[in-house]
Amino acid sequence: MQTDLRNRDLITTQEWTRDEIDTLLDVAWDLKRKRALGEPHAYLRDKVLAMLFFFSSTRTRVSFEAGMAQLGGHAQFIDSESTQISHGDTAKEIGEIIGRYCDGIAIRQCDWKFGNQYIRDVAAASRVPVLNMQDDIYHPFQILADLMTIQERFGRDLRGRTINVSYAYASSYQKPLSVPQDLILMMTRYGMNVRLTHPPEFALMPDIVEQARENSKRGGGSFEIGDDFDAGFQDADIVYPKSWGCWMTTEDKDESKQIGGKYTDWITDSRRMAMAKQDAIYMHCLPADRNIEVTDEVIEGHQSVVYDEAENRLHVQKAAMALTMRS
Ligand code: CP
């Protein structure tokens, strides 16, 4: 157990050891239990978290804000459009200045080839921990909540379990690569058999895929990439089919829409769920394009754990804040 995580940034879990991640999860379970019992846990009294959003959010915003209140502190919502950030405040200024007002800075900046670097530039100038609420490469708190949810279902030893991280079609917008990328990075570290399934145009960043391969070698599981949607479901314990953009192929919105249009049949339905193991779980970070990406029957069905995943965002984020922002 790692007991000194004070002042640590959490930009990618790749920069946290397994031991540190396990510590965070231990604390998350303790906080979940405390909340269920109504036990006070005001570990961050008088502390303030600045939450800086460059992109819309439901779960992330509400869970960070609720989490800070439950820890006895306060969270400030800062929208890039309605502040002077839109008129030129630099990343360095944000890190320096907000770091002097607040005790932690959480940022969502998903712009392709920009978001992660922006968060790192803020962190370099900040005297307080910086937490990544999603960027163009990573979504660490989503994946920590996913890991917590999987461990609740299958136990903490996940070796030998098979997870299918798959592309699914959605019509709404060209979504970031951050969720599938962070999933393949994290689940390979836990010795799982990780299947990445996507059409050829929807590849992930090569550097991330390489890191997942390395994690898999060290973790003792397996890592394979396929392009057959149905085959991805076969005998899986966990299926996580979600949409992402074809960023490695094109940044052009119209072209990406046209490419996506070739895969409208990549929808998760009960026929496909039946190909997975009988006790398999269906996961999705949400929001989902209902009846386009996944049928209502599946997402609201008995195998779906999407509401537990969403709840666990609260507990892992509270754990991270309590560990990194404490006095
Ligand atoms: N899963 C997730 O990050 O949800 P929001 O975009 O609503 O925050």
Side-chain angles (χ1 to χ4, degrees), residues 36-48:
L37 291 170
E39 283 180 20
H41 47 278
Y43 300 123
L44 295 181
R45 205 182 292 284
D46 302 328
K47 303 276 187 187
V48 179

Side-chain angles (χ1 to χ4, degrees), residues 45-148:
R45 205 182 292 284
D46 302 328
K47 303 276 187 187
V48 179
L49 175 75
M51 302 187 305
L52 173 51
F53 281 92
F54 289 80
F55 195 77
S56 55
S57 165
T58 307
R59 281 144 291 270
T60 305
R61 178 180 172 181
V62 177
S63 54
F64 265 102
E65 196 164 330
M68 265 312 275
Q70 290 160 19
L71 291 167
H74 173 70
Q76 279 182 330
F77 173 70
I78 304 163
D79 165 29
S80 64
E81 282 302 313
S82 58
T83 55
Q84 299 288 33
I85 294 167
S86 63
H87 294 146
D89 280 334
T90 66
K92 180 179 179 211
E93 287 164 353
I94 294 300
E96 273 283 356
I97 297 167
I98 296 184
R100 293 179 191 212
Y101 300 152
C102 299
D103 304 286
I105 306 175
I107 305 174
R108 170 170 283 193
Q109 172 37 287
C110 300
D111 290 350
W112 179 237
K113 295 183 180 165
F114 180 78
N116 181 261
Q117 190 56 54
Y118 178 86
I119 294 173
R120 290 192 184 282
D121 290 346
V122 172
S126 168
R127 63 180 67 179
V128 298
V130 169
L131 306 177
N132 180 357
M133 295 194 293
Q134 188 180 17
D135 63 29
D136 53 327
I137 305 176
Y138 308 108
H139 196 351
F141 292 104
Q142 181 62 53
I143 272 49
L144 286 164
D146 293 339
L147 179 58
M148 184 175 182

